Amino acid sequence: MANLDLLETSIPVAPLKLAALKGCREMAETVDQYLVQFRRELAGHRKSNGVTFSGYSEDSFLIDCECPRFGSGEAKGKINESVRGADLFILVDVCNYSITYKVCGYENHMSPDDHYQDLKRIIAAATGKAHRINVIMPFLYEGRQHKRTKRESLDCALALQELMNMGVSNIITFDAHDPRVMNAIPLGGFDNFMPTYQFLKALLNSVPDLKLDNDHLMIISPDEGAMSRAVYFSNILGVDMGMFYKRRDYSTIINGKNPIVAHEFLGDSITGKDVIIIDDMISSGESMLDVAKQVKERGANHVFVCTTFGLFTDGLEKFDSYYEKGYISKVITTDLTYRTPDLISRPWYEPAEMGKYMASIIDTLNHDVSVEKVRATTQKINKLLAKHR
């Protein structure tokens, strides 16, 4: 694993504890398994050096916590074991709408606001006894409401400041919609990680005959916001890049945003090439599917979609239709947010597994050493490409 030499010679901040909120237990269990594996391996090295730490290697780092609700829908946070002096990592998936609770006899699905409130309840339940509190929030709560254009709220900035005021030391997220939102907490810890290596690994596993050269492959950014992701991907693969920009109708607002009139393309010819479209998320999927269709109409061979978060807020039917028509060949998303069983079973869907990467991040932060070796995946990508080629 990354940073192995640093971890062997460093002292943990405090005993590691992992708290999983309702909605991300499955991911937390995967992360816990990797942490147990890492620690047993490192514990063996430490014993050979004559150095051991109490609680360093455990059968599980997960703690028992919950947020039970009253009949009125109100809730409270409970931690059912000691976290005194612990380096506490709290995992939360604010996008898991499958979790339900009763409100005066009616069933209510948990919204991102509900998950965020539960996160604060668990932080409050620690009552200042933990040595350090770290929040792992893969999909950054209100991350798309990060800048003010008219008279409107700045929800993400407020949430980050609130967490820092509650005593959170570090916030760990993945592929933030705009990482500059960290400016809201200039004195707080904010780490943003990218799943580029996991995308490529999942893609090559599902399409082993993919040709990674400039004559057969092109990277596409679906809008100007995804440019930095596409530039890195194209540079690491040594292929050309193209970009679409969204022409919007700013005179009207539909569902809280200005509707897209058309996608305009900037770049070289796509004819005969496989195309990877890369972005941070699929929400409804309308714009992504429109880009995929336009790319195909311009003569692309296979179209692969890679996004960190697959929300699919308008269902999967249109993706099924586009797959049957040949507009898309694969859609790859991470397993950082809730995915329905229907999505996982789709022939066009491929998951990019993030459990091992997240465990490596947690282990590194617990030792309080640099995360740059974990963040910088260029060397791992080059090894993967060399093996593939």
Side-chain angles (χ1 to χ4, degrees):
M1 59 174 288
N3 275 356
L4 184 60
D5 52 339
L6 287 174
L7 300 187
E8 284 182 9
T9 56
S10 61
I11 300 173
V13 170
L16 176 61
K17 298 285 186 182
L18 200 60
L21 270 70
K22 205 171 184 179
C24 62
R25 296 278 168 84
E26 186 177 348
M27 170 58 79
E29 287 170 0
T30 302
V31 170
D32 183 51
Q33 289 171 8
Y34 279 113
L35 283 171
V36 170
Q37 177 186 327
F38 293 164
R39 288 301 174 91
R40 284 177 179 168
E41 180 184 341
L42 280 166
H45 287 281
R46 289 186 181 279
K47 283 179 182 177
S48 65
N49 295 329
V51 181
T52 58
F53 298 102
S54 175
Y56 187 78
S57 179
E58 299 285 349
D59 293 333
S60 175
F61 296 98
L62 279 169
I63 64 169
D64 182 14
C65 65
E66 58 182 332
C67 290
R69 289 187 179 267
F70 303 101
S72 62
E74 298 167 294
K76 62 180 178 180
K78 289 178 65 180
I79 298 177
N80 297 317
E81 58 186 89
S82 175
V83 292
R84 185 180 293 275
D87 191 17
L88 182 62
F89 287 82
I90 307 174
L91 275 66
V92 57
D93 176 11
V94 299
C95 293
N96 193 337
Y97 59 88
S98 69
I99 307 299
T100 61
Y101 62 92
K102 295 284 188 179
V103 181
C104 300
Y106 294 95
E107 189 173 57
N108 192 36
H109 286 260
M110 287 188 71
S111 70
D113 293 339
D114 291 319
H115 286 292
Y116 178 63
Q117 286 300 120
D118 279 357
L119 169 64
K120 292 194 294 181
R121 289 178 178 117
I122 294 299
I123 294 171
T127 59
K129 299 301 186 292
H131 179 79
R132 187 174 70 173
I133 295 178
N134 313 271
V135 170
I136 300 180
M137 188 185 294
F139 185 94
L140 192 60
Y141 173 70
E142 294 289 4
R144 285 184 284 179
Q145 187 51 33
H146 63 287
K147 63 182 179 180
R148 178 176 285 151
T149 54
K150 297 180 181 178
R151 186 169 295 171
E152 57 189 20
S153 59
L154 288 169
D155 295 46
C156 190
L158 286 171
L160 294 178
Q161 290 177 354
E162 187 175 20
L163 292 177
M164 286 295 155
N165 290 335
M166 292 186 73
V168 173
S169 299
N170 297 299
I171 296 172
I172 299 101
T173 192
F174 290 83
D175 202 353
H177 191 67
D178 188 344
R180 290 176 297 181
V181 75
M182 73 174 71
N183 292 335
I185 48 169
L187 301 180
F190 185 97
D191 286 294
N192 182 45
F193 294 91
M194 304 296 289
T196 312
Y197 170 75
Q198 286 75 18
F199 279 157
L200 198 55
K201 186 177 179 181
L203 183 60
L204 294 181
N205 285 340
S206 60
V207 191
D209 59 343
L210 184 65
K211 294 181 179 178
L212 303 176
D213 59 63
N214 202 37
D215 295 328
H216 299 92
L217 186 66
M218 192 172 184
I219 308 299
I220 299 293
S221 171
D223 55 37
E224 57 276 18
M227 275 289 291
S228 59
R229 302 176 185 88
V231 166
Y232 176 75
F233 221 103
S234 63
N235 285 342
I236 200 77
L237 295 176
V239 301
D240 287 337
M241 190 200 82
M243 187 195 86
F244 282 85
Y245 69 91
K246 296 173 182 175
R247 191 149 52 85
R248 294 181 180 271
D249 180 5
Y250 288 99
S251 65
T252 58
I253 296 176
I254 299 175
N255 293 330
K257 56 187 178 182
N258 303 107
I260 299 168
V261 176
H263 285 94
E264 306 292 350
F265 180 68
L266 301 172
D268 291 335
S269 173
I270 307 173
T271 305
K273 292 184 178 182
D274 292 331
V275 165
I276 299 175
I277 305 173
I278 188 163
D279 205 357
D280 62 333
M281 74 176 73
I282 292 172
S283 184
S284 65
E286 287 291 333
S287 60
M288 186 66 74
L289 290 173
D290 187 35
V291 168
K293 182 180 178 182
Q294 291 203 41
V295 162
K296 196 70 177 176
E297 289 172 349
R298 284 174 166 82
N301 186 18
H302 294 102
V303 178
F304 307 105
V305 176
C306 293
T307 67
T308 306
F309 306 107
L311 306 183
F312 300 98
T313 57
D314 285 356
L316 306 174
E317 289 74 18
K318 197 162 187 179
F319 283 85
D320 292 335
S321 173
Y322 272 52
Y323 174 70
E324 290 166 5
K325 293 175 182 176
Y327 292 139
I328 56 174
S329 298
K330 283 287 180 185
V331 176
I332 298 172
T333 76
T334 68
D335 55 358
L336 292 169
T337 53
Y338 172 70
R339 299 161 302 145
T340 64
D342 284 344
L343 171 62
I344 295 171
S345 67
R346 288 300 199 268
W348 44 263
Y349 177 73
E350 189 71 26
E353 296 177 351
M354 298 293 292
K356 188 174 183 179
Y357 189 34
M358 191 183 294
S360 183
I361 292 167
I362 292 172
D363 204 17
T364 302
L365 287 172
N366 178 242
H367 285 80
D368 219 13
V369 296
S370 172
V371 296
E372 281 311 304
K373 282 191 178 181
V374 181
R375 191 195 307 277
T377 55
T378 303
Q379 188 175 0
K380 290 174 68 178
I381 292 173
N382 286 333
K383 283 184 180 179
L384 183 65
L385 294 178
K387 184 179 178 181
H388 177 75
R389 286 166 176 161

